[in-house]
Amino acid sequence: MARRGRGEQEGEQPSPDQPTVTLSPSAEFPGLGQDELAVLREVGQRWSAAMRDRPTDWDDLPLDPTLDRYRHPPTPSRFERLARIEMFKADEPGQLLATESATLPQNRAGQRLARVRRAILGPPLASTAVLQERMRKLIALPVLSSDLLSSVAYGPEALLAVLVLAGTGALALSLPLAGALVLLMIVVGTSYRQTVRAYPHGAGSYLVASDSLGPRFGLAAAAGLILDYVLTVSVSVAAGISAITSALPGLEPYTVPFGLLAIAVLLAGNLRGVRVAGNLFAAPTYVFIVAVVLLLVAGFAQAGMRGFEALPPPPVTAVEGLTLLVVLRAFASGATSMTGIEAVSNAVPVFKPVEWRNARTTLTWMVSLLVVLFAGLTLLIHLTGVVPRADETLISQVARHTFRTGPWYGIIQAATAMILLLAANTAYQDFPRLLFFLARDDYAPRRFLHMGDRLAFSNGIIVLSVTAAIIFLAFGGLTQSLIPLYAVGVFLAFTLSQAGMVVHWRRHRGRNWHWRAALNGLGSALCAIVLVTAAVTKFGEGAWVTVLAIPLLVLLASRIRRHYDRMHRALALRPPSVPGPDVGRPVLAGGSRDRAVGGDDQESEESPQDVRHLVVVPVARLNLAALRALAYAASLGPPVFAVHLSPEQEEADRFREEWRIWGDHLRLETIISPYRAVTAPLVQYLDALHMLRPDMVLTVVVPELMVRHPWHRLLHTPIDQRLRRALRGLPGVVITSVPVHLNR
Amino acid sequence: MARRGRGEQEGEQPSPDQPTVTLSPSAEFPGLGQDELAVLREVGQRWSAAMRDRPTDWDDLPLDPTLDRYRHPPTPSRFERLARIEMFKADEPGQLLATESATLPQNRAGQRLARVRRAILGPPLASTAVLQERMRKLIALPVLSSDLLSSVAYGPEALLAVLVLAGTGALALSLPLAGALVLLMIVVGTSYRQTVRAYPHGAGSYLVASDSLGPRFGLAAAAGLILDYVLTVSVSVAAGISAITSALPGLEPYTVPFGLLAIAVLLAGNLRGVRVAGNLFAAPTYVFIVAVVLLLVAGFAQAGMRGFEALPPPPVTAVEGLTLLVVLRAFASGATSMTGIEAVSNAVPVFKPVEWRNARTTLTWMVSLLVVLFAGLTLLIHLTGVVPRADETLISQVARHTFRTGPWYGIIQAATAMILLLAANTAYQDFPRLLFFLARDDYAPRRFLHMGDRLAFSNGIIVLSVTAAIIFLAFGGLTQSLIPLYAVGVFLAFTLSQAGMVVHWRRHRGRNWHWRAALNGLGSALCAIVLVTAAVTKFGEGAWVTVLAIPLLVLLASRIRRHYDRMHRALALRPPSVPGPDVGRPVLAGGSRDRAVGGDDQESEESPQDVRHLVVVPVARLNLAALRALAYAASLGPPVFAVHLSPEQEEADRFREEWRIWGDHLRLETIISPYRAVTAPLVQYLDALHMLRPDMVLTVVVPELMVRHPWHRLLHTPIDQRLRRALRGLPGVVITSVPVHLNR
């Protein structure tokens, strides 16, 4: 079945040291399962029955499909003919290699477009380059951590913003809470390390959860992450832009166009492929890290001079009492600094081999960086005794307090803006890959399996950009109100994947699995707390959207899966004898129940001898087009006959007369359609024929007029197209369109 | 050629007494010309060469296409099967008659729609009813004259409105000017009488002008009329509505919806067919006539009591001097009362036989009515000494002066409103017919030849309604400003048709043709004066639009004609030997010149022995769909081979292995598309094949997956459709789609 992909990846525990290509373009063309191969062999035998008594010359073709023998075409003068054939290299008998030029569309417009595309996205990459497209650790670190680290820019602030509601006194709680968060980070980080090791092919929450807890949970996790990624893009872009505009207020009015521009840049950059995207977007993250570390060093140095005593924060009057709820809310808000910690686990397959090992190292680095920056900042904030203000961010306050307003301050702000803007890039890394995994399990449209000509999952990237852009527009670039939506989705994914790991350990034990399981269990529990707190406390502020959206997404996914399952059953090969499940039996689309029953004997031909032909040619007027269709039909051999519709008797007689003059070479059936309808009666007639001989394949040969300019179409009643659309419904009716071109 | 229709109608002077059906549904299916029949015979002979040595059983089909022998289908239990077959009656050997139920679409939605349609428009009419659909004189008179007579409601006013600018004194000129206009009416009327006699198949300005002065002039006349008709509808509807709203000011805000409603009613009414429309809309015209006549009688009676002396009009100060220009403008404005006088001449074919005689009688009646009403009203206005006022129409003033405000006055006003509203109906009569004639000569899209299931030219009627509605909306229902656009178009048509008649007489002389010619000449001259005056004086007010639009329409028409000519040349049968004109040779749509040259040997097969087959089956995955396509292809017989595209070598090898397991029954060609493009390389490859053997017909067999719900399409990459779209361009490539249905 088409889901063997997952079969493989679920099934064996591969020896982790050999490189394995999970994200291969072949995923789009899954091979057949063992069972299917068996049936295929059976079907093949039935074929040989049909093909046994074929003449000896059956197999020699009038030309060599490998185009090879004809390297010197009949008229070498005609350059283009040569060219077209040169588009293919014959690399081994019976196999051609399409050159790059063969991927260009034929018509002028298409080629021009392709050229522009190439100019922006670069030349296409061959499938064989898939391994070179992996990321080095030094690149992976910034690309995958920008989301995580950027959240340091608002995490501590979110924490304090809640505490301060309970007055200045409550601010003292910031340190223990920060400690708890650091613990959480370490726990989650470590347990993700374990996950990466355990799922070397891709350790995303979706894979882990669906593997150990079952698909439903997997989908829930996936839904949470999908929401998170889309929001990340629109929110972080908005944040980045507003950081810029608050520095240069003159640009305020251009918020929306700037935001769209940013998204467009991210889109193009990521369409250029994983590696290029990495190189493009790596630098700013490093700049940010350096800048913040500098800030910390300088800040602590100053604090050191005064013996590390905290400056007293300005007195703030309490709005509400210091309840447990407040503390929990503070904790949950602070936890948003962890969003993006899962990035690596999804991205395992894009690391250079050995994937899991590199991924794990990178993860360790990320978490340590996170801990340092987060803890450092919170402490420094405490020492400098600044409190959250509406008009200025905490980082900005601390920076100003440390460096006074000056170049250093500017750098810090710029770096912050950049990283906020780039946090989106992490989503661009993970979203398409998540959809790839979903599609491989038939939970998402299969086109997300397709690797674009730069080996990036173009479709996923485009979908992400479009959705994010729409949200960004819908909120007019003021997406801050969306931040509450974050936590729920992310922490749902965390909780589930951690829980999944616990199950995983219980299944395949391994060395001191108890400890590992315990660790994951703890992580899961802590994440669950954050999840619930966030969902409850922020429900009103918009978390309800997530709570609503996740089940809907899960539903959608399973509907998609159901459709694909049905398709696979319907298209599954069946041994000639067995009739097969009725669901697999094709019937008249939109047909009545009765037809469904009648459907059993339709379209069942899987080998030549089952195909009994009946060719029908609808003829409107005996012109070149009609004769061409007739000639084509007649050359297929009997039985063939023609049908003509006339609005009235006179016309019918005249046409029969013309038919006689032509020589009456084929049986002609005229249908008088006194109400001048054309398509409907023809369809009904063919259907009636099919009723009489459901065992025959009705081949309808229609001439199709090809006009040059689109507006010319208005000048022709597209009988052929209408016929095709109408006949589509009929089972066992094959439509053959014989093209007739009018030049210019 | 498809234009024999015109050929007939231009050519012979038919004996005017036998009824001739010009507007027959068969016009959509023109027969072959003598020359074509000759070629057809030749081509047929070539066929017999091919068919001579066919086996004797070639002709007996596995089923009787007449469905006749199978009145009792294999499983009579299945009612539906029976039903489908019962949809057709076998009325003579080799001919079926589609019953009404056979014209219903197959799918539920379509059937429901059809039922609604039928409820509004009534049951379909058989083509044989075309003669019963003609109009009786008593119906034709009101239907065709409503436009003309309605203009009496504003004609005199328009005349005086100009004169009064030169002060009260100038008003005296109204009588002589009215006299001149009456003369003009009589002249034009009489010369149209002659036209009707001379062109018994339809005497519209278009036909006459294009016959005697050449197509250009014909098209100019047609363009003028087309504009006139569209304007008539939107203007007269607006006028009617405003007449109502000025009586009931409460309805003022609903002007636009009411207008659209009115147009919708006219649309539906006319779609119901000529006769029904007539019956629907006849009464109001008669009411109007009676009402105005009553007004005249009463008015003159009162005037008689005081010895027919004119009451002195209130003194009005002159705005400008009484120059010749003013007089001319008054004349031109008054002439608008003649718009619609051509209605009958276009409508000749819808009269009951003998068409021309009935048409002529009706015309006489119309003109006399016009003269009486126009002259009478102008005179009465003079006698009652009223002058144009902004706030009240002249008719209203006269009516009030005669009857005082009371029931009679109300009736007059109501009748006026009704006739203004109904003036549109005349346009509904003539516009579609004009387009029919244009289409028959290939100057308009051929679908205007199609008679709807009520024997009305549905397409024309719909186009008219939509355009009028758009204009009505664009001007928010205040279309008075469009009135100046009228005159130009109409009088252009008048002038041209009269001039055409002069030529006509000089050609086929006949009894005292000098007099007739002189009469038409005079008419033409007078109309020309009006035309020029209108065009010049009203140029600024908007006549420029017409002056601009007419040439554009003519251009468009001739472009359409050119396209059809090219099509006819391309589709014209050619004797097997002759290569035929290059324009007729089909080439690669969008192809390069070089291909055009190479095109000569392409798609030239018009008889079976010219068709050399090569069948190619693109296979993505060896599932049921693929095997079905392969089986179908193989059953067509050799040469057949399969093509598989793979993104990388591994996949290609795996597929070949599967192919081997299946039994390797057909030659398989794998193309490695390292850039993962699917459509483009396949198209290029097929094109390359075609290059090698341009003499062969490449039949590409693609399985086509039929899903039940539209949204399911999103889940499948429609390779087959993409292929079709891309392959369309290639000459000599036939696409066969083998449907595979997934039930619900």
Side-chain angles (χ1 to χ4, degrees), chain A residues 26 29 65 84 95 563-564 603 613 628 632 635 647-648 654 656 685 687 699 715-716 728 741, chain B residues 26 29 65 84 95 127 447 563-564 603 613 628 632 635 648 654 656 685 687 699 715-716 728 741:
Chain A
S26 305
F29 304 82
R84 289 210 185 285
Q95 175 167 308
H563 172 76
Y564 279 129
E603 286 184 0
H613 285 283
R628 215 161 262 167
Y632 183 88
S635 68
E648 48 188 356
R654 197 188 58 214
R656 259 198 297 271
Y685 176 69
D687 199 20
T699 300
L715 304 180
H716 304 274
R728 276 219 173 122
H741 292 89
Chain B
S26 305
F29 304 82
R84 289 211 184 285
Q95 175 167 310
S127 306
R447 38 190 91 186
H563 172 75
Y564 279 128
E603 287 186 359
H613 284 283
R628 214 160 261 167
Y632 182 89
S635 69
E648 48 188 356
R654 197 187 59 216
R656 259 198 298 271
Y685 176 70
D687 198 22
T699 300
L715 304 181
H716 304 274
R728 278 220 174 118
H741 292 88

Side-chain angles (χ1 to χ4, degrees), chain A residues 288-353:
Chain A
F288 175 75
I289 297 174
V290 174
V292 176
V293 170
L294 258 170
L295 174 59
L296 293 181
V297 173
F300 284 120
Q302 292 178 4
M305 288 177 219
R306 58 168 196 272
F308 289 107
E309 74 185 20
L311 305 177
V316 186
T317 53
V319 187
E320 48 187 286
L322 184 54
T323 60
L324 175 65
L325 185 63
V326 173
V327 178
L328 280 179
R329 258 172 58 209
F331 184 69
S333 313
T336 51
S337 357
M338 284 175 60
T339 58
I341 201 171
E342 83 289 355
V344 169
S345 62
N346 295 321
V348 176
V350 295
F351 281 89
K352 287 198 180 300

Side-chain angles (χ1 to χ4, degrees), chain B residues 364-578:
Chain B
T364 322
W365 271 99
M366 268 174 56
V367 177
S368 356
L369 271 172
L370 172 66
V371 170
V372 171
L373 297 190
F374 178 79
L377 269 178
T378 333
L379 188 55
L380 187 56
I381 289 167
H382 173 72
L383 289 177
T384 42
V386 291
V387 293
R389 293 217 315 257
D391 58 348
E392 189 177 13
T393 63
L394 277 177
I395 290 207
S396 159
Q397 292 185 54
V398 175
R400 189 176 313 229
H401 179 282
T402 321
F403 296 126
R404 311 276 163 275
T405 315
W408 284 113
Y409 170 74
I411 290 172
I412 300 263
Q413 285 304 85
T416 318
M418 278 311 286
I419 192 111
L420 282 173
L421 207 52
L422 276 194
N425 198 40
T426 309
Y428 271 95
Q429 290 298 322
D430 286 348
F431 181 84
R433 215 167 292 118
L434 177 56
L435 276 175
F436 169 86
F437 286 123
L438 283 170
R440 206 183 48 186
D441 303 353
D442 283 346
Y443 284 118
R446 300 190 59 79
R447 38 190 91 186
F448 288 118
L449 291 176
H450 182 73
M451 283 184 148
D453 62 1
R454 292 288 297 185
L455 284 169
F457 295 109
S458 328
N459 295 331
I461 294 175
I462 292 166
V463 167
L464 176 61
S465 311
V466 171
T467 356
I470 290 173
I471 294 180
F472 183 80
L473 279 175
F475 286 76
L478 309 169
T479 30
Q480 281 68 358
S481 53
L482 294 180
I483 291 181
L485 302 192
Y486 265 118
V488 180
V490 189
F491 277 89
L492 175 62
F494 289 172
T495 317
L496 288 174
S497 72
Q498 308 286 337
M501 282 312 288
V502 177
V503 177
H504 174 85
W505 294 128
R506 295 212 23 255
R507 249 186 232 150
H508 356 67
R509 310 280 164 129
R511 201 157 38 67
N512 51 37
W513 63 275
H514 284 102
W515 290 111
R516 302 172 178 280
L519 184 59
N520 287 118
L522 176 59
S524 174
L526 289 176
C527 292
I529 294 175
V530 180
L531 170 62
V532 174
T533 326
V536 172
T537 56
K538 296 181 176 176
F539 191 84
E541 299 168 45
W544 65 271
V545 177
T546 337
V547 176
L548 208 68
I550 288 176
L552 286 179
L553 281 175
V554 173
L555 184 68
L556 176 63
S558 34
R559 294 298 296 279
I560 292 178
R561 168 69 177 257
R562 201 200 299 161
H563 172 75
Y564 279 128
D565 284 351
R566 192 171 289 121
M567 179 190 76
H568 293 310
R569 276 203 302 283
L571 296 188
L573 291 175
R574 287 182 296 282
S577 48
V578 188

Side-chain angles (χ1 to χ4, degrees), chain A residues 26 29-32 44 47-48 54 62 64-67 70 80-81 84-85 88 94-96 98 102-104 106 124-127 447 450-453 563-564 566-567 570-571 573 583 586-587 592 594 603 605-606 613 621 624 627-628 632 635 639 647-649 651 654 656 658 662 665 667 669-672 674-676 680-681 684-685 687 691-693 699 704 706 712 714-716 728-730 733-737 739 741-744, chain B residues 26 29-32 40 44 47-48 54 62 64-67 70 78 80-81 84-85 88 92 94-96 98 102-104 106 124-127 447 450-453 563-564 566-567 570-571 573-574 583 586-587 592 594 603 605-606 613 621 624 627-628 632 635 639 647-649 651 654 656 658 662 665 667 669-672 674-676 680-681 684-685 687 691-693 699 704 712 715-716 728-730 733-737 739 741 743-744:
Chain A
S26 305
F29 304 82
L32 296 174
W47 268 69
S48 13
R54 58 185 158 184
D64 173 11
T66 318
L67 307 173
Y70 294 82
E80 203 189 333
R81 296 197 166 196
R84 289 210 185 285
I85 293 161
F88 299 91
Q95 175 167 308
L96 285 171
T103 66
L104 288 174
Q106 275 211 319
L125 296 172
S127 305
R447 39 189 90 185
H450 182 73
M451 283 184 147
D453 61 1
H563 172 76
Y564 279 129
R566 192 173 288 120
M567 179 190 76
L571 296 189
L573 292 174
V583 62
V587 301
S592 65
D594 154 59
E603 286 184 0
E605 63 289 335
E606 280 118 62
H613 285 283
R621 186 162 190 272
L624 198 66
L627 275 175
R628 215 161 262 167
Y632 183 88
S635 68
E648 48 188 356
Q649 190 61 54
E651 205 280 334
R654 197 188 58 214
R656 259 198 297 271
E658 294 174 357
W662 167 59
H665 296 296
R667 163 85 183 252
E669 185 72 19
T670 49
I671 302 177
I672 304 230
Y675 306 110
R676 298 163 299 288
Q684 301 283 18
Y685 176 69
D687 199 20
M691 289 302 175
L692 294 176
R693 295 296 303 274
T699 300
E704 194 166 7
M706 305 297 175
H712 285 161
L714 300 175
L715 304 180
H716 304 274
R728 276 219 173 122
L730 300 187
V733 172
V734 171
I735 302 163
T736 296
S737 45
H741 292 89
L742 311 181
N743 69 342
R744 50 176 328 289
Chain B
S26 305
F29 304 82
L32 297 173
L40 183 61
W47 268 70
S48 14
R54 60 185 156 183
D64 172 12
T66 317
L67 306 172
Y70 295 80
R78 295 196 181 154
E80 202 189 337
R81 296 197 166 194
R84 289 211 184 285
I85 294 161
F88 299 91
E92 54 182 81
Q95 175 167 310
L96 284 172
T103 65
L104 288 174
Q106 274 211 321
L125 295 173
S127 306
R447 38 190 91 186
H450 182 73
M451 283 184 148
D453 62 1
H563 172 75
Y564 279 128
R566 192 171 289 121
M567 179 190 76
L571 296 188
L573 291 175
R574 287 182 296 282
V583 63
V587 301
S592 63
D594 155 59
E603 287 186 359
E605 63 290 334
E606 280 118 64
H613 284 283
R621 187 162 190 273
L624 198 66
L627 275 175
R628 214 160 261 167
Y632 182 89
S635 69
E648 48 188 356
Q649 189 63 51
E651 205 280 334
R654 197 187 59 216
R656 259 198 298 271
E658 294 174 358
W662 167 59
H665 296 295
R667 163 83 182 253
E669 185 73 20
T670 48
I671 301 177
I672 303 231
Y675 306 111
R676 297 162 301 286
Q684 301 283 17
Y685 176 70
D687 198 22
M691 288 304 174
L692 295 176
R693 296 295 304 272
T699 300
E704 194 165 7
H712 286 161
L715 304 181
H716 304 274
R728 278 220 174 118
L730 300 187
V733 171
V734 171
I735 301 163
T736 296
S737 46
H741 292 88
N743 69 342
R744 45 173 334 285

Side-chain angles (χ1 to χ4, degrees), chain A residues 79-138:
Chain A
F79 168 72
E80 203 189 333
R81 296 197 166 196
L82 204 56
R84 289 210 185 285
I85 293 161
E86 293 301 347
M87 283 179 174
F88 299 91
K89 292 188 185 52
D91 57 355
E92 53 181 84
Q95 175 167 308
L96 285 171
L97 182 68
T99 64
E100 186 180 327
S101 57
T103 66
L104 288 174
Q106 275 211 319
N107 58 336
R108 295 267 158 72
Q111 286 168 351
R112 220 167 277 122
L113 204 70
R115 233 172 278 120
V116 176
R117 210 173 149 291
R118 193 147 299 183
I120 302 176
L121 304 185
L125 296 172
S127 305
T128 47
V130 73
L131 267 177
Q132 289 108 59
E133 273 301 292
R134 305 301 190 83
M135 285 198 286
R136 282 174 20 254
K137 287 199 283 292
L138 269 182

